[in-house]
Amino acid sequence: MESKYSEISKNIQEEAKKLLSQGKVERIIGFGRGVFTGEITPIFVTEPERAEELLFTPECDMMLAKYLLDYKGSKTGIVAKPCDTRAITVYLAEELIKREDIFIIGINDCEGLEENDACEECGVRNPVVVDLEIGQPREEEIEVEIADELEDMSPEERFEYFQKEFSRCIRCYACREACFVCACDECFVDSNQPQWVGSSIGKRDNFTFHLMRAMHMAGRCINCGACEIACPEGINMRALTKHLYRAARDVFQFEPGLNPEEKTLFATYRLDDSEQGFLD
Amino acid sequence: MAKPVMVIGGGIAGIQAAFDLGEMGVPVYLVENSPSLGGRMAQLDKTFPTNDCSTCILAPKISDCYNHEMVTTYTYTDVLDIQGKEGDFKVRVRKNPRYVIEDACTGCGECIEKCPVKVLDEYNEGLVKRKGIYKYYDQGVPNVVTIDPEHCLKLNKDRCGICEKICDKKAIDYKQKPEETELSVAAVIYAAGYDAFQGEMVGEYGYLRHPNVITSLEYERYLSASGPTEGHIQRITDGEEAKKIAFIHCAGSRDVRTDCNYCSAVCCMYSIKQALVTREHSEAIEAIDLYYMDVRAYGKGFERYYNTAEATKGVNFRRSRVARVEEDSDTRQIIVKGLDEEGRFSEEKYDLVVLGVGLKPNSQVTEMMKRLKIRVNKYGFAATDELDPLATSCKGIFTCGVAAGPKDIPESVIEASGAAAQAAIIARRDGESPKEKEKEKKEISYRFVDNEPVRIGVFVCHCGNNIGGVVDVPRVTEQSEHLPFVEHSEEIKYLCSPDNLEMIGDRIKEKNLNRVVVASCTPRTHETLFRQAVAWGGLNPYLLVMTNIRDQNSWVHREEKEKATRKALDLIKGAVAKAKKTRALERSRVDKLNKGFVIGGGVSGMTAALQLADIGFPVVLVEKENELGGNANKLLFTPEGRPASRIVEELREKVLANDFIETFTGYSVSKVDGYVGNFKLTLDPEKGKEGSQKEIEGGVVVVATGAAELETEEYLGGQHEKVLSQLQLEEKIREKSIPEDLNRVFMIQCVGSREEPREYCSRICCNQAVSNAIYLKERYPEMDITILYRDIRTYGYYEDNYRKARQLGVKFVRFDLEEKPVVEDKNGKIKISYRDPVVGVEKEEEADLLVLSKAIVARENSDVLSKQLKVPLNEDGFFLEAHVKLMPVDFATDGVYLCGLAHGPKNLSESISQARAAAGRAAVVLVREYLLTEAMVAEIDPDLCMSCRNCIEVCPYQAIDISEWTGKAEVNKILCKGCGSCASVCRPHAADLHGFSNQEIVEEMEAIFADREPAPLKGEGL
Amino acid sequence: MTAKEDFEPKILAFLCNWCSYAAADLAGSSRMQYPPQIRVIRVPCSGRIDPFLLIRAFNSGADGILVSGCHPGDCHYLDGNYYARRRFLMLKELMQYAGIAEERVNFTWCSASEGKRFAAIVERVVNRIKEVGPWEGFDGRGFARREEEMASGE
């Protein structure tokens, strides 16, 4: 196991060095060691000499794709797990970044991260878009199910469950910082014209915030789990977004981050879209 | 100022003509003899082939027209006489007494409820009763009542008088007399519509004899949610749910016995529509049978609609003549006895039989035309020339819509725009030059209020008893005064009366108000009026917020006065809160250029160019080929059988001689920049053409790029010298190279049409084949001609040709798509095998000549122009107009118009009408000195925009683009229509809509629920 | 807690200007009677309605919402209601999953000639919401309903 990761790391380092020294990219976004022991942090490598700082370990759970938005217009390489490539695909679909500006070093046959429950629900184990593949792609598809842990609850029970969960929210917005979808210059929680939701911590506004957040993510969230890992209160952050993911998939056959040519969920429609639940 | 034009008839055609003229700056008198605008379309439930709700699409058009500053509407008015000549007509009209003062009546309808008299309701085809004082229909415009002089007790017996007593506005006047007026106009447009056939004309269908036999127009009312049964489909005799329904096509049309030999052109489609809508209405319906001869689904999108119907479970098409209609006296069911093409009899029982009655000329109009010596055709419709299809025989008098023959709504609208364009030429020619200085003077500058603290004035209307009788207006007014930022509140008996409108202006000045809230009736009808009042007070008119406490409150909660009062207060709270955030809005001016582009130099393009030039604008005409003329260069005949070449030649000469038209043949458009009013087109010479690239600027673009004949090898097309297309046959006839020894000629219809991948009818080929057959038969009577067809679609008057061809001995043999004829080359000889369904035998015969009616297909490179102009194509590759029913020559993108074959298959005459229409619509932009944006448009904050382009995707008007300067999305205000789709798809809320901003809506909502604060905490800490 | 039969819900309705608002006006001019518990906000198009507004309505204390646009195909702005339909369906999914009674979240279409339908829809929606009782807020604490003050004219 250990050797597999060091193999990947070695490959990344070699390729990165080549890319940087040949001037194919201006920088490479990847994972490296942080200041604390064992800490893994995003690093930005611009000199070929520093390429060996790049690492890949089972702890590399951050989504790096978001950093691409900071380097629009200059050629940037990125070390990307399959989920990162889905995030990149979402960006490409909205033309937030240009394909020619990025160089994707994609990691094949992702086994998922132990820390992240979302990985168990992920069927995308090879990069969706890639320029250079690290490792052998996984050939056989894997059967996964995007679980619904609250399935057996009645609506009232779910309501109470969410009340309890969201009551713990301290509105620190770590979820937002971790999420690649959250790329607005001004977050709706900070808007005061209008004020969409009260900013103080309280059950009412917390619940409202989480509903709005989920709606905001719909059609873009890829169920990567970054928000849940980031949440210091251990709130079940994915329950709502995951449900909308399932709904979009089942009702509209739409799954974000798989096809850069596909318009986002709410920017398109079909004449025969479902009207389930509408009053006839 | 241009001279006025009169439009006779206030149906959809008249409304379109009047509106277009008004938009071209021409004053219009719109005269309608019924009490309301709307005509036949207002009676319809849904429209084919989109199943659009008729009222939904018509009502905004009516109010735009009625409220247009250039349009004066005379309803309930008859035209008595027209004298004079083009440019100088005197029209005598008689305004009939409504016995109601139109300016005073608010349309509240209190009198209607109290009126004791009941009369058959003509709007509902006499199926229900209305009162003696009535509105023609609920949404009717103008919104005033009318007293029926035949039945009113007061007028006839000097009894009753309740309406006068009940009307607070003193709007009833039993002493009104007819008023005759003479109006001077430069031109007249007849848009007087049609009479529907009455079922009694065709005795064998049992109309009137059997109650369960009804006409299609009656059925339309039954289908309507606002009709006599509120959309329930039931037997007339006992109100039981109807389970089996038959539709009989051509009831009265295509019928020598009724003297209406023509095809009414719309009945096939509306019958299909009614069948489909019926199916949707009720699952309980067991069978819907359509009895027909040919299904004439020849218009754009019709074939698909027909195929949908055919595939719909429970909808059955029966190709069968109806021989007899009888009633089962026990069950009151209707027995339909049919005879199919193979001579088999059938007998079925139905709960309801709907007669697809045809359109016949409006008898009053026919009479009048005869009196005025305007030529009418043998059927009584206005006679027109196919090459000048909108002009009557009297110069300066035009016609559009069904007045000149049966046609559907989009064609009527096309003709209306075309006739308006032609009338505008006369009106503008003889008018004085516009006095722009006077206009400038009228412009008001508004007080700048952005820096002022908000001071709101609330005006609550009693509307007599309409609001005041239910809502406690004094209490609401008093409480409004205590709302935040409210400086003044006031209750008024009738806020819309002229003196009170003036009063609003006075109060604004007196109290230094800078926002106005009006709580009264519906903003849909009164917002314009109250905005004007606000403007009189020196305030920007968009600083008004209206809330509806009548139509959506007092009228619908009559028994719940307290609750209605609370609701009114809530609504006012909401309006006040919204007003707080409302900002002054401007309709900004955008400069524009005067020149028009026409792309495509066929008959459509040339006609459009000439029309635009005649209205007074320079035109750039671009044609890809080296010669003007397009498809018509290959045509032998016009649809009515005149030689085509001379006509094309004449048009070409006119174009080339016109100083206003600059023609570029051998050029095509390589690039389009800009938008309405300010386009820049780059023209490149075609290969082999000498010349340099041109960059030309102009204000509008008319697309007239035509279409092509399908190239196909089916039936040995292009493979054998004895197999020709209809166009090739015409070429041979023209060259006089038809061999003399042709004995046996076959024609095959629908080659490449009406089947995958072209699920549409090519429309012109039936008449083309029939005309060519007649030509041959008249010259070579011995020639044996057989036309193999699927349905003969000689719509309208072309039915005459079909009949003539049969009389001349042309044989017509039908085939099904599943059993197409087989054509083989046997040692150089053409063998055709087909099945004759009438005798039921397979035949194999030799043809000396086989003529194929090949499909009309879209130009291959249409997609290039489509992308350049940002206008869409439909699934068949033809250009797609903004609305198939009511905007048939406009694109959703402003400033780009469409005509001719580029829009879809149509004949020469129809292309000419549409070209005139496109030019007319384009002229609406060109006549203006400058363009005005809408006030309530979207705006995108570049600081928040993340350039994700979702707004660009959802904008239906192509109004948003990424700015070259900022890299952020930007709204082009001149193209934006204010739907707000961008605002709700925008994730960072960078896009917002003026007048309905996020902030305004949130404030409104918050205020409505301001009384619902969270309950106090119990024991919990903060 | 208020007894269900006495419960006076307050329901927020968003109606598009061209079809549904016109239908509501038609219900008025035809004097159809329907329950007075709805408060209408007029918007140009159902496509204008940001789902945030609807979530926010519950935050403000609405017992339920009703959104009505033009029937699919009839949109005055060509296709605004098609985009709206997707958003509404997703919002409905979200609210339902979060445990908000589905009776509170209502979407429908009304054409300009369907005054009768509009009245019937309002009646149906009001009954649905009465059935599930007052909305107690996301915190479950309920709202002080201060309507009684009004009656006294204060």
Side-chain angles (χ1 to χ4, degrees):
Chain A
M1 203 55 154
E2 192 57 41
S3 68
K4 181 182 168 184
Y5 282 97
S6 53
E7 180 77 24
I8 293 173
S9 299
K10 219 174 95 197
N11 277 340
I12 293 172
Q13 290 160 7
E14 278 166 21
E15 298 294 345
K17 194 164 199 168
K18 265 190 259 171
L19 288 167
L20 286 165
S21 53
Q22 289 165 359
K24 281 193 178 160
V25 297
E26 288 178 38
R27 72 190 63 72
I28 288 173
I29 306 171
F31 301 98
R33 295 211 183 283
V35 282
F36 305 109
T37 324
E39 188 201 12
I40 295 290
T41 184
I43 60 169
F44 305 84
V45 179
T46 48
E47 289 95 42
E49 309 73 76
R50 284 183 53 212
E52 57 218 39
E53 291 175 27
L54 291 162
L55 285 176
F56 193 73
T57 73
E59 289 76 40
C60 293
D61 55 7
M62 290 87 89
M63 295 286 280
L64 297 182
K66 196 169 175 177
Y67 294 105
L68 287 171
L69 299 178
D70 296 335
Y71 297 104
K72 280 191 200 179
S74 71
K75 191 86 186 180
T76 301
I78 182 167
V79 176
K81 305 184 292 296
C83 48
D84 280 301
T85 67
R86 286 187 73 183
I88 290 168
T89 304
V90 171
Y91 289 158
L92 289 172
E94 291 189 339
E95 297 184 40
L96 295 181
I97 48 177
K98 289 200 182 101
R99 184 67 184 87
E100 61 268 25
D101 283 349
I102 54 172
F103 190 94
I104 303 165
I105 304 166
I107 294 165
N108 272 326
D109 195 14
C110 175
E111 289 172 1
L113 308 165
E114 255 174 53
E115 299 286 287
N116 190 349
D117 295 342
C119 293
E120 289 165 25
E121 301 175 341
C122 173
V124 181
R125 297 305 172 113
N126 298 319
V128 178
V129 280
V130 69
D131 295 301
L132 192 141
E133 298 175 56
I134 304 285
Q136 288 304 308
R138 185 187 179 94
E139 297 298 341
E140 69 275 25
E141 302 223 337
I142 59 166
E143 284 279 319
V144 290
E145 205 186 325
I146 299 185
D148 183 355
E149 299 90 356
L150 313 182
E151 202 171 19
D152 298 332
M153 291 187 189
S154 70
E156 293 78 18
E157 285 166 345
R158 274 202 304 270
F159 188 64
E160 275 174 38
Y161 170 79
F162 284 120
Q163 275 187 327
K164 232 188 226 151
E165 283 293 301
F166 298 148
S167 71
R168 298 208 302 278
C169 176
I170 55 170
R171 306 290 285 277
C172 69
Y173 306 127
C175 49
R176 173 178 82 188
E177 299 312 314
C179 177
F180 81 90
V181 176
C182 284
C184 299
D185 289 321
E186 184 192 82
C187 177
F188 71 85
V189 299
D190 298 323
S191 161
N192 56 4
Q193 294 210 351
Q195 190 185 46
W196 289 109
V197 56
S199 52
S200 60
I201 303 163
K203 281 187 179 175
R204 209 159 68 118
D205 288 340
N206 281 4
F207 206 121
T208 306
F209 161 68
H210 283 270
L211 287 175
M212 286 182 173
R213 190 187 92 88
M215 202 60 211
H216 217 50
M217 302 290 146
R220 295 183 179 89
C221 168
I222 58 167
N223 193 33
C224 74
C227 49
E228 202 161 87
I229 297 173
C231 180
E233 296 294 326
I235 296 170
N236 183 353
M237 288 298 294
R238 285 188 300 121
L240 293 178
T241 50
K242 202 160 76 171
H243 180 71
L244 292 184
Y245 186 100
R246 275 193 303 262
R249 182 195 61 192
D250 299 346
V251 181
F252 302 113
Q253 293 75 51
F254 181 90
E255 286 188 82
L258 295 179
N259 177 5
E261 304 299 318
E262 194 171 32
K263 292 173 200 163
T264 49
L265 179 68
F266 291 140
T268 181
Y269 63 83
R270 277 201 304 261
L271 294 178
D272 59 350
D273 272 346
S274 164
E275 287 183 13
Q276 208 196 335
F278 284 38
L279 299 180
D280 53 16
Chain B
M1 195 70 161
K3 271 195 170 183
V5 169
M6 175 168 292
V7 177
I8 302 173
I12 183 60
I15 287 167
Q16 183 69 44
F19 180 73
D20 280 354
L21 281 163
E23 288 286 279
M24 281 188 259
V26 177
V28 186
Y29 302 118
L30 174 59
V31 182
E32 162 63 37
N33 65 357
S34 84
S36 305
L37 295 179
R40 293 286 178 195
M41 195 176 165
Q43 285 182 292
L44 304 183
D45 174 43
K46 291 197 169 133
T47 60
F48 60 83
T50 49
N51 283 4
D52 266 336
C53 157
S54 193
T55 317
C56 297
I57 56 179
L58 177 64
K61 279 235 167 192
I62 295 179
S63 71
D64 282 352
C65 177
Y66 184 73
N67 294 322
H68 200 287
E69 53 173 359
M70 301 304 281
V71 179
T72 311
T73 304
Y74 292 82
T75 44
Y76 215 43
T77 299
D78 292 318
V79 174
L80 302 176
D81 194 24
I82 304 174
Q83 293 294 329
K85 58 177 189 344
E86 180 185 286
D88 184 22
F89 288 108
K90 298 269 184 285
V91 185
R92 208 148 49 77
V93 297
R94 181 183 60 217
K95 170 110 186 117
N96 297 311
R98 279 182 201 269
Y99 305 101
V100 171
I101 302 162
E102 286 186 21
D103 291 339
C105 175
T106 63
C108 77
E110 290 293 302
C111 51
I112 300 177
E113 285 193 46
K114 301 282 154 37
C115 175
V117 179
K118 287 190 174 172
V119 192
L120 288 181
D121 177 6
E122 47 287 75
Y123 169 74
N124 274 310
E125 292 292 307
L127 302 172
V128 285
K129 293 201 167 160
R130 60 158 169 80
K131 292 297 186 68
I133 187 163
Y134 68 107
K135 286 188 203 171
Y136 182 58
Y137 62 103
D138 266 329
Q139 303 100 324
V141 170
N143 183 21
V144 295
V145 296
T146 305
I147 292 180
D148 186 329
E150 273 180 54
H151 300 93
C152 172
L153 292 175
K154 181 74 184 175
L155 292 175
N156 290 293
K157 298 181 181 156
D158 197 24
R159 294 207 321 253
C160 183
I162 289 178
C163 48
E164 187 179 31
K165 280 174 223 146
I166 205 170
C167 182
D168 287 349
K169 291 281 285 175
K170 307 266 171 271
I172 306 292
D173 175 7
Y174 298 120
K175 300 210 167 56
Q176 261 183 4
K177 293 274 174 298
E179 284 171 38
E180 287 193 18
T181 327
E182 192 180 84
L183 299 166
S184 293
V185 297
V188 176
I189 297 175
Y190 262 104
Y194 61 93
D195 290 344
F197 274 108
Q198 285 308 309
E200 60 261 37
M201 289 189 64
V202 269
E204 77 262 42
Y205 298 136
Y207 181 70
L208 292 189
R209 235 176 321 132
H210 313 313
N212 288 328
V213 178
I214 61 174
T215 69
S216 48
L217 213 49
E218 289 169 344
Y219 192 64
E220 197 73 32
R221 295 310 307 150
Y222 281 116
L223 283 177
S224 171
S226 55
T229 58
E230 287 150 9
H232 293 294
I233 297 153
Q234 55 196 46
R235 284 164 38 123
I236 312 304
T237 40
D238 52 12
E240 288 291 312
E241 199 165 8
K243 295 218 164 69
K244 280 185 75 184
I245 301 175
F247 289 87
I248 301 179
H249 288 224
C250 302
S253 306
R254 299 180 66 186
D255 194 336
V256 215
R257 290 166 301 180
T258 58
D259 227 10
C260 294
N261 302 338
Y262 56 85
C263 154
S264 285
V266 295
C267 335
C268 278
M269 290 310 292
Y270 78 58
S271 295
I272 293 175
K273 172 199 76 180
Q274 292 185 335
L276 277 174
V277 174
T278 304
R279 178 81 265 177
E280 276 177 23
H281 265 249
S282 164
E283 282 298 311
I285 286 172
E286 288 157 13
I288 301 167
D289 291 355
L290 295 101
Y291 288 82
Y292 72 101
M293 296 189 277
D294 299 281
V295 169
R296 296 192 163 167
Y298 56 87
K300 196 174 181 180
F302 293 3
E303 185 73 17
R304 275 198 177 80
Y305 193 70
Y306 167 36
N307 290 343
T308 308
E310 265 211 309
T312 302
K313 226 177 123 230
V315 176
N316 316 306
F317 286 82
R318 303 171 72 124
R319 192 184 292 270
S320 185
R321 265 272 185 195
V322 172
R324 271 191 83 73
V325 174
E326 290 164 2
E327 185 184 63
D328 178 332
S329 53
D330 296 335
T331 62
R332 307 298 298 266
Q333 278 187 312
I334 303 297
I335 306 159
V336 175
K337 295 184 173 169
L339 180 63
D340 73 9
E341 62 180 349
E342 288 172 44
R344 288 177 304 221
F345 283 97
S346 66
E347 194 177 309
E348 289 277 347
K349 283 186 180 178
Y350 298 96
D351 297 316
L352 210 52
V353 169
V354 182
L355 303 179
V357 292
L359 315 182
K360 66 174 193 180
N362 182 329
S363 53
Q364 281 175 309
V365 174
T366 312
E367 258 171 54
M368 174 151 188
M369 285 190 172
K370 282 181 179 162
R371 196 151 37 85
L372 298 173
K373 306 261 180 326
I374 299 172
R375 232 161 38 82
V376 294
N377 65 19
K378 60 180 170 181
Y379 300 120
F381 291 103
T384 56
D385 186 304
E386 59 172 340
L387 301 174
D388 197 1
L390 309 174
T392 67
S393 63
C394 174
K395 274 187 96 179
I397 299 183
F398 301 94
T399 170
C400 60
V402 187
K407 57 183 66 73
D408 65 8
I409 292 170
E411 284 176 63
S412 298
V413 172
I414 288 170
E415 292 195 351
S417 291
Q422 287 184 284
I425 296 173
I426 302 168
R428 285 163 54 87
R429 184 205 301 149
D430 297 328
E432 306 144 33
S433 63
K435 291 176 188 158
E436 289 309 328
K437 274 183 193 164
E438 260 187 19
K439 237 198 233 168
E440 297 272 333
K441 250 192 256 167
K442 271 211 285 188
E443 267 173 42
I444 317 161
S445 62
Y446 304 119
R447 206 171 94 210
F448 182 76
V449 299
D450 284 9
N451 298 334
E452 294 178 10
V454 173
R455 297 169 65 85
I456 302 172
V458 179
F459 299 88
V460 188
C461 181
H462 281 259
C463 195
N465 243 349
N466 281 291
I467 297 170
V470 178
V471 172
D472 185 344
V473 175
R475 198 169 108 203
V476 168
T477 312
E478 202 273 324
Q479 297 209 356
S480 300
E481 203 165 339
H482 304 305
L483 295 173
F485 300 99
V486 171
E487 283 299 320
H488 173 76
S489 84
E490 186 168 352
E491 54 186 294
I492 291 107
K493 189 115 188 165
Y494 283 104
L495 193 55
C496 61
S497 69
D499 48 332
N500 284 327
L501 290 173
E502 223 168 286
M503 181 277 294
I504 294 178
D506 294 342
R507 286 287 185 282
I508 291 171
K509 290 177 187 156
E510 200 179 296
K511 305 260 176 184
N512 204 23
L513 304 174
N514 53 25
R515 303 287 191 285
V516 173
V517 168
V518 166
S520 60
C521 47
T522 172
R524 288 175 55 254
T525 56
H526 280 66
E527 198 166 49
T528 320
L529 192 69
F530 289 120
R531 276 193 188 145
Q532 223 160 46
V534 170
W536 287 332
L539 272 189
N540 180 296
Y542 296 94
L543 294 170
L544 165 82
V545 176
M546 251 188 105
T547 188
N548 185 345
I549 59 167
R550 187 188 70 176
D551 307 45
Q552 298 185 12
N553 187 24
S554 62
W555 277 353
V556 290
H557 314 310
R558 290 168 139 184
E559 303 305 321
E560 305 189 76
K561 298 187 175 174
E562 177 58 29
K563 287 177 186 174
T565 301
R566 285 189 201 171
K567 180 172 170 181
L569 188 68
D570 273 349
L571 293 172
I572 292 171
K573 279 184 192 165
V576 164
K578 179 178 180 179
K580 196 168 70 188
K581 294 293 175 188
T582 291
R583 299 193 3 224
L585 301 177
E586 296 289 337
R587 299 190 64 182
S588 34
R589 288 184 184 190
V590 176
D591 286 338
K592 63 140 248 306
L593 299 160
N594 262 347
K595 192 180 280 176
F597 291 98
V598 177
I599 305 174
V603 167
S604 299
M606 288 194 286
T607 306
L610 281 168
Q611 184 83 30
L612 262 182
D614 286 346
I615 301 175
F617 301 103
V619 180
V620 171
L621 178 61
V622 187
E623 168 57 46
K624 193 162 61 80
E625 302 294 330
N626 285 319
E627 196 186 14
L628 294 173
N631 284 314
N633 282 334
K634 297 179 210 152
L635 266 189
L636 175 65
F637 294 124
T638 66
E640 286 176 17
R642 283 189 272 177
S645 59
R646 217 181 55 227
I647 288 145
V648 178
E649 191 49 46
E650 276 172 24
L651 258 180
R652 191 156 40 213
E653 277 168 18
K654 269 196 205 165
V655 167
L656 296 174
N658 194 311
D659 292 341
F660 265 31
I661 304 176
E662 195 179 357
T663 305
F664 291 90
T665 48
Y667 271 86
S668 61
V669 178
S670 59
K671 194 171 172 231
V672 178
D673 289 309
Y675 48 88
V676 59
N678 300 278
F679 285 106
K680 186 168 84 184
L681 268 61
T682 309
L683 309 181
D684 274 346
E686 287 283 306
K687 268 184 205 140
K689 162 95 183 182
E690 280 182 32
S692 57
Q693 193 182 62
K694 315 274 178 202
E695 276 189 4
I696 308 174
E697 294 184 327
V700 294
V701 181
V702 176
V703 176
T705 48
E709 192 181 71
L710 174 72
E711 283 178 27
T712 172
E713 294 181 359
E714 194 178 14
Y715 305 123
L716 299 179
Q719 310 288 297
H720 196 289
E721 52 169 4
K722 288 180 179 169
V723 181
L724 303 175
S725 71
Q726 292 288 357
L727 274 180
Q728 285 168 327
L729 169 67
E730 298 189 9
E731 229 171 290
K732 280 227 183 315
I733 294 176
R734 190 159 50 195
E735 291 163 2
K736 304 202 165 49
S737 57
I738 290 277
E740 288 294 317
D741 59 345
L742 291 183
N743 294 318
R744 203 86 181 77
V745 174
F746 276 85
M747 294 184 180
I748 300 179
Q749 299 302 102
C750 300
V751 180
S753 303
R754 299 185 59 194
E755 59 176 308
E756 289 297 333
R758 279 169 297 278
E759 210 187 322
Y760 61 87
C761 166
S762 290
R763 184 175 177 129
I764 65 166
C765 354
C766 277
N767 187 47
Q768 193 179 22
V770 166
S771 302
N772 287 342
I774 291 172
Y775 180 92
L776 293 173
K777 199 75 184 169
E778 280 179 340
R779 275 151 197 84
Y780 313 99
E782 298 305 309
M783 193 185 278
D784 186 291
I785 304 177
T786 304
I787 298 182
L788 302 174
Y789 72 98
R790 290 178 56 198
D791 290 278
I792 287 292
R793 293 182 168 176
T794 46
Y795 55 91
Y797 304 141
Y798 302 130
E799 182 70 10
D800 287 345
N801 286 347
Y802 179 32
R803 191 177 323 101
K804 184 172 174 189
R806 278 180 303 175
Q807 281 162 357
L808 287 170
V810 177
K811 290 180 218 156
F812 288 85
V813 180
R814 200 182 61 76
F815 67 87
D816 285 320
L817 185 58
E818 298 73 34
E819 272 185 299
K820 287 174 25 174
V822 176
V823 178
E824 285 163 304
D825 179 347
K826 285 197 177 157
N827 306 321
K829 288 180 175 159
I830 303 284
K831 293 274 189 216
I832 301 180
S833 327
Y834 63 96
R835 184 175 173 276
D836 186 335
V838 175
V839 284
V841 291
E842 307 283 340
K843 291 185 174 174
E844 189 187 278
E845 280 165 5
E846 191 187 321
D848 300 324
L849 180 68
L850 171 62
V851 188
L852 304 179
S853 292
K854 292 185 182 174
I856 294 175
V857 294
R859 293 259 183 238
E860 259 178 24
N861 52 359
S862 293
D863 57 323
V864 178
L865 191 61
S866 146
K867 287 195 187 98
Q868 286 169 342
L869 288 167
K870 297 186 198 165
V871 295
L873 301 175
N874 71 6
E875 48 210 316
D876 302 315
F878 293 101
F879 283 92
L880 180 61
E881 60 275 33
H883 191 276
V884 293
K885 218 66 191 173
L886 293 187
M887 295 182 89
V889 302
D890 295 54
F891 283 109
T893 308
D894 278 348
V896 191
Y897 306 90
L898 172 63
C899 62
L901 289 169
H903 162 270
K906 60 179 62 64
N907 69 32
L908 198 68
S909 183
E910 291 156 351
S911 290
I912 291 172
S913 292
Q914 203 180 12
R916 294 202 198 288
R921 296 289 301 152
V924 163
V925 171
L926 296 183
V927 293
R928 301 210 168 118
E929 260 199 288
Y930 47 83
L931 303 178
L932 274 181
T933 68
E934 292 293 325
M936 293 186 173
V937 291
E939 192 170 337
I940 294 172
D941 183 343
D943 290 338
L944 297 179
C945 173
M946 52 200 277
S947 317
C948 73
R949 308 177 75 92
N950 284 316
C951 53
I952 299 176
E953 295 292 344
V954 303
C955 177
Y957 304 106
Q958 314 290 337
I960 310 181
D961 219 333
I962 299 287
S963 151
E964 276 179 44
W965 307 105
T966 60
K968 301 299 177 74
E970 193 176 49
V971 177
N972 185 340
K973 284 203 225 167
I974 197 75
L975 297 178
C976 175
K977 306 248 188 297
C979 68
S981 258
C982 53
S984 9
V985 83
C986 180
R987 205 164 6 136
H989 294 107
D992 210 345
L993 179 63
H994 288 300
F996 294 96
S997 67
N998 287 326
Q999 176 94 37
E1000 283 169 300
I1001 299 174
V1002 165
E1003 291 284 347
E1004 185 174 355
M1005 190 161 90
E1006 279 303 277
I1008 288 172
F1009 292 97
D1011 58 352
R1012 305 219 146 171
E1013 289 185 351
L1017 296 163
K1018 284 177 200 132
E1020 262 180 77
L1022 268 177
Chain C
M1 188 161 293
T2 333
K4 271 187 186 175
E5 31 305 354
D6 306 331
F7 161 51
E8 275 294 318
K10 195 142 111 181
I11 298 157
L12 188 68
F14 282 98
L15 305 182
C16 81
N17 184 51
W18 303 96
C19 292
S20 297
Y21 198 90
D25 281 348
L26 177 60
S29 53
S30 319
R31 305 295 198 277
M32 290 159 186
Q33 301 297 299
Y34 57 81
Q37 288 89 2
I38 67 157
R39 305 290 180 265
V40 170
I41 290 185
R42 182 170 69 116
V43 287
C45 177
S46 51
R48 167 66 192 91
I49 301 160
D50 188 323
F52 274 29
L53 295 167
L54 305 177
I55 297 173
R56 167 116 201 186
F58 286 103
N59 192 66
S60 304
D63 293 296
I65 53 167
L66 166 65
V67 176
S68 182
C70 304
H71 284 277
D74 284 1
C75 180
H76 184 78
Y77 302 102
L78 310 176
D79 58 5
N81 53 357
Y82 284 116
Y83 291 109
R85 183 165 64 178
R86 283 202 154 187
R87 281 195 288 267
F88 295 159
L89 190 127
M90 291 295 279
L91 181 79
K92 203 164 169 50
E93 281 290 334
L94 174 69
M95 298 305 264
Q96 221 166 318
Y97 193 72
I100 288 98
E102 68 150 340
E103 287 83 353
R104 300 190 193 280
V105 186
N106 300 285
F107 300 113
T108 195
W109 320 111
C110 273
S111 80
S113 61
E114 291 176 327
K116 182 92 181 171
R117 174 182 163 82
F118 180 79
I121 288 279
V122 173
E123 175 132 25
R124 211 167 130 198
V125 167
V126 169
N127 288 336
R128 274 161 74 88
I129 291 169
K130 277 192 171 170
E131 203 55 42
V132 293
W135 165 240
E136 302 292 354
F138 290 123
D139 51 8
R141 256 181 19 223
F143 292 87
R145 289 174 162 73
R146 295 193 306 178
E147 286 146 344
E148 303 326 308
E149 292 170 35
M150 244 273 348
S152 62
E154 301 278 320

